[in-house]
Amino acid sequence: MKYGYFDDKNREYVISQPDTPLPWSNYLGNENYFGLISNTAGGYSFYQDARLRRLTRYRYNNVPTDFGGRYIYIRDNKTNEFWSSTWQPTRTELDSYECRHGMGYTQIKSSKNAIESNVTYFVPNGENLEIWKFEIKNISDQVADISLFSFIEFCLWDANDDATNFQRNYNIGEVEIDKNVIYHKTEYRERRNHFAYFACSEDITGFDTQREDFLGRYRGFDKPCVVETGKSTNSVAHGWSPIGSHQINLKLKAEETKTIIFVLGYQENPENEKFEADGQTINKKYCSPIIEKYTTIDDVDKAFSQLNTYWDSLLNIFNVETQNEHVNRSVNIWNAYQNMITFNMSRSASMFESGIGRGMGFRDSTQDLLGFVHMVPERAKERILDIAATQMESGGAYHQYQPLTKRGNDAVGGNFNDDPLWLILAVTAYIKETGDFGILVEDVPFDNKPGSEDTLYNHLERSISYTLERLGPHGLPLIGRADWNDCLNLNCFSDEPGQSFQTTENREGKTAESIFIAGLFCYATNEMASLCDNINEEKIAQKYRALSLKMKEAIENYGWDGDWFLRAYDFFGDKIGSKECEEGQIFIEPQGICIMGNVGKNDGKAEKALTSVKEHLASEHGIVLLHPAYTQYQLRLGEISSYPPGYKENGSVFCHTNPWIMIAEAQMGHADQALDYYLRINPSNREKISEIHRCEPYVYAQTIAGKEAPSFGEAKNSWLTGTAAWNFVAITQWILGIRADYQGLIIDPVLPNDWHSFTIKRKFRDTIYDIDVEKSEIEKTTILIDDQIIDGNKIPIFDDREIVKVKIQVA
Ligand code: BGC
């Protein structure tokens, strides 16, 4: 069963029923001001940091689900009936409903009692505010007598504190009301220099700013007293729970339409200009012009069209036309869009990430970059420098940092020994995309400590030496706290309920080794070698090749189990991911990453490993992480065995890892198998099983319950996952085969059997490459530029042309 459909022309997913299996969400904002919005207007907003600057309140894990949002109540004063234009929170049955999630905006249309409404939510580029453009139309032949009530609930800035520290919070709430603008200024009187405002383009009849006065005692958002009676109370919040609500009374003639704009914004004032002369009232000098501008329809429309142009410009950088609609839709629209969202959010705020748990992940963001670097190279550069500045002098990394402070945060620990190696993948991807070798000589501090600056290149070297200084008994990298798999905690031995697997380390980690990190090390050293080739450092390049080779030998000698790559050695030196194990005999991660690190390609190991993946791990819903799943908690393994079989790291289809296998398959020339795996987890291809998949059909989820799980096929944790970047890499770079390289654009497609041709438009270093790929009867794949055959598979850089036409005949 489906709950909507794709409108590819408008780059939208259209939801035609409000009670989707889970709230199906979208994001607003591209720079500093962000919002999360569901298909029924649930969600919240924040400035820069979902934890530290939360503007509005949201209730995770609430019943009914998805509470807290951007609500507009419509009251029919003739019948005294009221409803929500976005279905929630009243959940009144509507005559029609449609939600369109688009690129950076969400539009919800509905009708009831011959009143149509259409609200568009978006954040104008360059502004710290969101717009709700609300259109209401009377489609009856009578005059309609309507009252509208807007509603948001303010969060007292620090979302964690807001949800826990009630003994203080119930006392500190403060607001100011000035005509049709409600200001939220809790803590502004003391150390904050920022406030929020909620404005309305119309003259208002009344307002409310205290939640209890608006709702009435013991009532929920579905039945506010004020809406029921049709009369705002003009309440002024002192403490308790500040909200913003405007009342607007409207008489709409037959067929008359009215547009009303609400603006929710964030404003900082200079420290010495916080107040007016009375020392109490907010100085509105800076925010008033902004409010005035965005309560004007023309300016709002202009901002909306600028937003659309912005997304056009990003999404037109890589366009493909194949015979598979799911490939086209993902590459051209939704996968690229999701990549940008992971760029903005890392793992901080979604319907599954509370915005108070995790900041930006070191490893997460460096991998996410692989998916967005072609769209926003300058911002990718900034991100790389920010991340590198959190690297420690040892070469190790904080596992995460806070976006507001850009400082490493060890709340979830360090010593995830793979972390620093991902930096190499990110930096080399950036240089290949841009040709900006200059980034290598940028001075970057360690751990943000002034005086500790070193070149970015030396940061990369330290990432390598960090691994080399931490090798175990088999010459394989020590795993530390964990590697890519956060839940393989081999030095943890946690035996207390509630203890954090990510910060507990009960044993000294001198033995537990990771074959995954070994494979990643081969990958990263190969990248370093080719980087050095390109900066004329042949000797150093050789050093990296030798290091890669040595690690490869260690994997071949100690990391091979006969039919697949082992996963790890545990604290006691016992194998993990081996036939000898009772459970967890084979893991997906080393199979993908070792082959990507060029291990086993010439001696049959890669082929064997991929056959084993197919035999033991592949399922109709994707490739599971391990098999058989652990049925019991195992002290020596950590969090992985804490999950019931088939869930999360314990044998679900952990989607992030699937593209590694697709890439490996493509590298071994198995186009059909690569595409088959790609389509198994492609969200659009799973739309038809929305009842089973349950998450949004337009974006990847982190996990799909595995074969041992009772809910096999059910997805969870949509949006913020490295799955987005890696699937984009797998399909665009390895199946379609278009890869940015230091000195040109590589074209190396592997064509699935039933594909005859496809076309690609790829903007690369200011030139558009218009590429036609076609299967042909010839013996050797040939590339023609302007009908001239070129040597090899790399198109040189044409910086003197706007468009280059390329034709490829695939043997
Ligand atoms: C984390 C990743 C990690 C993955 C596998 C995700 O939740 O964000 O950093 O690699 O889980 O454990």
Side-chain angles (χ1 to χ4, degrees):
M1 158 146 194
K2 299 206 301 178
Y3 291 84
Y5 59 93
F6 286 93
D7 177 349
D8 291 342
K9 211 173 123 260
N10 290 309
R11 297 193 177 120
E12 289 172 335
Y13 189 78
V14 188
I15 300 165
S16 24
Q17 176 177 333
D19 54 342
T20 43
L22 296 164
W24 282 3
S25 60
N26 192 14
Y27 285 85
L28 311 175
N30 295 311
E31 285 147 285
N32 290 307
Y33 185 104
F34 296 105
L36 193 63
I37 183 160
S38 74
N39 58 311
T40 56
Y44 57 93
S45 301
F46 59 93
Y47 174 76
Q48 283 188 354
D49 191 313
R51 172 169 176 177
L52 299 176
R53 289 289 152 87
R54 185 83 64 99
L55 266 75
T56 56
R57 190 173 283 156
Y58 186 72
R59 290 172 172 74
Y60 278 96
N61 205 1
N62 201 23
V63 279
T65 191
D66 193 22
F67 259 84
R70 303 167 178 87
Y71 299 141
I72 299 171
Y73 299 87
I74 303 176
R75 185 178 199 279
D76 181 343
N77 292 331
K78 283 190 195 151
T79 62
N80 296 341
E81 283 175 281
F82 63 90
W83 63 93
S84 306
S85 67
T86 55
W87 191 62
Q88 284 257 60
T90 65
R91 294 186 305 281
T92 316
E93 204 179 315
L94 298 166
D95 297 339
S96 69
Y97 160 90
E98 179 184 275
C99 166
R100 290 180 171 259
H101 282 318
M103 307 287 105
Y105 66 89
T106 286
Q107 193 170 66
I108 304 173
K109 265 192 221 170
S110 66
S111 65
K112 186 174 168 57
N113 289 15
I115 296 294
E116 273 181 4
S117 69
N118 185 4
V119 53
T120 308
Y121 300 97
F122 74 100
V123 175
N125 282 351
E127 301 290 359
N128 295 326
L129 55 89
E130 68 187 60
I131 307 267
W132 314 357
K133 183 182 173 197
F134 182 75
E135 292 161 299
I136 182 163
K137 183 172 182 192
N138 172 12
I139 52 168
S140 75
D141 50 13
Q142 313 274 310
V143 172
D145 180 1
I146 300 289
S147 293
L148 300 177
F149 298 88
S150 64
F151 179 84
I152 45 137
E153 185 177 15
F154 292 110
C155 179
L156 309 186
W157 308 116
D158 179 332
N160 193 40
D161 198 62
D162 182 73
T164 46
N165 192 6
F166 304 109
Q167 60 82 26
R168 170 178 164 84
N169 293 345
Y170 285 164
N171 296 287
I172 61 175
E174 286 191 299
V175 295
E176 223 175 272
I177 301 103
D178 186 7
K179 297 197 202 77
N180 41 4
V181 188
I182 292 164
Y183 296 87
H184 174 227
K185 59 171 189 177
T186 301
E187 291 186 343
Y188 186 72
R189 66 206 319 283
E190 32 122 349
R191 289 153 299 171
R192 294 189 186 273
N193 67 340
H194 55 89
F195 56 89
Y197 54 84
F198 188 35
C200 166
S201 62
E202 284 297 296
D203 288 343
I204 59 177
T205 313
F207 61 86
D208 271 287
T209 64
Q210 182 57 276
R211 193 180 68 203
E212 197 187 73
D213 292 303
F214 179 77
L215 297 181
R217 287 186 201 166
Y218 296 94
R219 285 179 172 235
F221 297 129
D222 56 336
K223 248 176 131 196
C225 232
V226 158
V227 183
E228 200 174 81
T229 57
K231 198 158 174 24
S232 292
T233 71
N234 296 348
S235 56
V236 178
H238 301 286
W240 297 113
S241 307
I243 60 153
S245 173
H246 309 95
Q247 175 172 1
I248 298 133
N249 288 348
L250 294 175
K251 290 256 172 15
L252 290 177
K253 288 191 238 113
E255 295 300 315
E256 187 183 344
T257 302
K258 174 105 195 146
T259 302
I260 298 162
I261 293 157
F262 298 95
V263 184
L264 174 64
Y266 169 88
Q267 179 72 40
E268 286 175 6
N269 271 348
E271 204 53 53
N272 55 354
E273 294 181 71
K274 278 173 65 172
F275 301 104
E276 284 182 8
D278 63 2
Q280 300 286 331
T281 313
I282 297 174
N283 170 10
K284 320 274 182 347
K285 179 169 131 195
Y286 297 100
C287 69
S288 291
I290 304 174
I291 295 177
E292 204 174 310
K293 175 167 179 192
Y294 288 106
T295 42
T296 312
I297 298 177
D298 278 355
D299 284 304
V300 164
D301 290 346
K302 212 184 284 162
F304 188 61
S305 89
Q306 277 162 358
L307 179 72
N308 292 333
T309 313
Y310 167 77
W311 279 106
D312 279 349
S313 70
L314 294 189
L315 298 181
N316 286 339
I317 293 173
F318 198 120
N319 280 168
V320 63
E321 202 48 59
T322 72
Q323 60 203 62
N324 188 300
E325 62 169 341
H326 306 297
V327 171
N328 301 347
R329 177 177 291 148
S330 297
V331 171
N332 299 341
I333 309 171
W334 289 99
N335 194 174
Y337 180 60
Q338 188 178 1
N339 290 342
M340 284 302 298
I341 302 299
T342 62
F343 163 63
N344 287 326
M345 297 289 134
S346 193
R347 305 293 172 268
S348 72
S350 73
M351 289 292 169
F352 299 83
E353 300 279 10
S354 63
I356 58 179
R358 305 205 258 177
M360 313 284 284
F362 188 99
R363 153 210 304 157
D364 296 330
S365 292
T366 42
Q367 288 175 81
D368 292 343
L369 187 135
L370 306 177
F372 63 73
V373 64
H374 66 292
M375 291 185 276
V376 283
E378 325 73 44
R379 299 178 76 193
K381 175 177 183 179
E382 198 186 318
R383 177 62 50 84
I384 287 175
L385 298 175
D386 285 349
I387 295 175
T390 68
Q391 188 178 25
M392 296 184 227
E393 279 184 81
S394 64
Y398 286 100
H399 198 46
Q400 67 163 45
Y401 69 100
Q402 281 310 121
L404 193 68
T405 60
K406 298 190 174 176
R407 294 289 159 123
N409 163 3
D410 49 16
V412 293
N415 297 345
F416 289 66
N417 279 355
D418 64 311
D419 275 344
L421 291 173
W422 297 108
L423 183 63
I424 294 169
L425 270 57
V427 173
T428 51
Y430 167 78
I431 303 175
K432 287 178 192 173
E433 184 63 41
T434 58
D436 174 17
F437 288 95
I439 194 175
L440 293 170
V441 294
E442 293 266 352
D443 269 339
V444 185
F446 288 99
D447 198 2
N448 281 298
K449 289 200 186 94
S452 68
E453 286 79 7
D454 203 344
T455 61
L456 180 63
Y457 178 82
N458 285 342
H459 277 256
L460 301 185
E461 289 223 302
R462 283 206 206 181
S463 299
I464 298 286
S465 55
Y466 179 83
T467 309
L468 291 174
E469 284 158 15
R470 286 165 182 75
L471 297 180
H474 301 94
L476 295 162
L478 292 174
I479 197 166
R481 182 96 61 209
D483 59 19
W484 171 86
N485 190 326
D486 277 349
C487 300
L488 200 58
N489 316 114
L490 303 181
N491 298 303
C492 173
F493 293 81
S494 169
D495 55 4
E496 291 226 8
Q499 223 169 26
S500 155
F501 290 102
Q502 267 75 50
T503 52
T504 309
E505 205 170 303
N506 287 333
R507 305 284 163 107
E508 218 188 319
K510 293 263 169 61
T511 40
E513 297 166 294
S514 160
I515 284 98
F516 175 82
I517 303 182
L520 179 59
F521 182 84
C522 291
Y523 189 159
T525 40
N526 291 341
E527 286 295 332
M528 285 300 280
S530 78
L531 173 66
C532 291
D533 285 341
N534 281 279
I535 51 172
N536 299 321
E537 292 284 3
E538 280 93 28
K539 267 231 172 90
I540 308 183
Q542 270 169 28
K543 174 187 101 179
Y544 283 119
R545 288 206 170 89
L547 285 173
S548 184
L549 212 60
K550 192 153 175 231
M551 189 62 79
K552 184 173 160 209
E553 278 164 19
I555 299 176
E556 282 165 359
N557 292 334
Y558 303 106
W560 180 249
D561 197 52
D563 286 309
W564 57 77
F565 293 101
L566 280 176
R567 180 62 177 88
Y569 287 94
D570 70 9
F571 178 80
F572 306 103
D574 292 333
K575 293 175 184 170
I576 296 178
S578 158
K579 282 193 189 88
E580 295 165 22
C581 305
E582 242 174 73
E583 297 175 328
Q585 292 175 339
I586 169 169
F587 282 64
I588 191 173
E589 308 101 301
Q591 320 312 327
I593 208 82
C594 287
I595 300 174
M596 289 158 71
N598 279 341
V599 184
K601 281 188 175 158
N602 300 323
D603 59 6
K605 289 194 175 67
E607 291 289 0
K608 260 196 183 163
L610 290 173
T611 308
S612 302
V613 166
K614 189 169 178 188
E615 260 170 38
H616 302 284
L617 300 177
S619 82
E620 62 190 284
H621 293 292
I623 312 168
V624 299
L625 190 142
L626 60 85
H627 187 76
Y630 296 104
T631 50
Q632 251 134 44
Y633 176 60
Q634 313 229 5
L635 194 63
R636 68 198 172 92
L637 296 181
E639 187 167 1
I640 193 162
S641 61
S642 75
Y643 287 110
Y647 290 102
K648 290 278 274 183
E649 279 85 344
N650 190 14
S652 80
V653 176
F654 211 92
C655 296
H656 187 137
T657 60
N658 279 221
W660 296 338
I661 299 299
M662 297 166 206
I663 294 170
E665 292 284 6
Q667 291 185 349
M668 299 308 289
H670 309 151
D672 284 331
Q673 188 60 75
L675 184 70
D676 172 17
Y677 288 148
Y678 174 80
L679 290 173
R680 289 188 206 196
I681 63 165
N682 178 292
S684 151
N685 193 32
R686 295 174 64 77
E687 187 199 22
K688 52 186 180 288
I689 52 161
S690 285
E691 207 60 68
I692 297 171
H693 185 79
R694 290 173 40 93
C695 276
E696 296 92 334
Y698 40 92
V699 287
Y700 284 99
Q702 177 202 60
T703 171
I704 298 174
K707 24 185 190 177
E708 282 112 328
S711 55
F712 184 32
E714 181 188 27
K716 288 191 188 118
N717 201 357
S718 55
W719 281 104
L720 304 182
T721 160
T723 311
W726 276 110
N727 273 285
F728 194 80
V729 170
I731 185 72
T732 59
Q733 299 188 21
W734 295 100
I735 300 177
L736 303 172
I738 311 293
R739 298 194 285 281
D741 201 20
Y742 298 105
Q743 316 294 350
L745 193 62
I746 296 176
I747 309 203
D748 183 22
V750 291
L751 268 184
N753 248 333
D754 60 353
W755 282 22
H756 310 294
S757 61
F758 64 87
T759 59
I760 287 190
K761 260 208 187 102
R762 168 47 152 122
K763 186 162 168 235
F764 176 60
R765 314 237 187 127
D766 294 328
T767 305
I768 292 167
Y769 294 83
D770 200 338
I771 307 165
D772 270 332
V773 180
E774 216 178 67
K775 215 176 251 173
S776 149
E777 295 297 308
I778 53 175
E779 260 172 33
K780 196 171 153 265
T781 297
T782 324
I783 301 185
L784 296 108
I785 297 175
D786 302 335
D787 296 325
Q788 300 286 311
I789 295 185
I790 63 158
D791 278 343
N793 63 3
K794 197 184 291 178
I795 311 178
I797 290 155
F798 287 87
D799 38 20
D800 55 342
R801 292 218 219 161
E802 263 174 40
I803 297 190
V804 175
K805 287 220 176 275
V806 186
K807 203 174 171 73
I808 308 179
Q809 293 165 331
V810 181

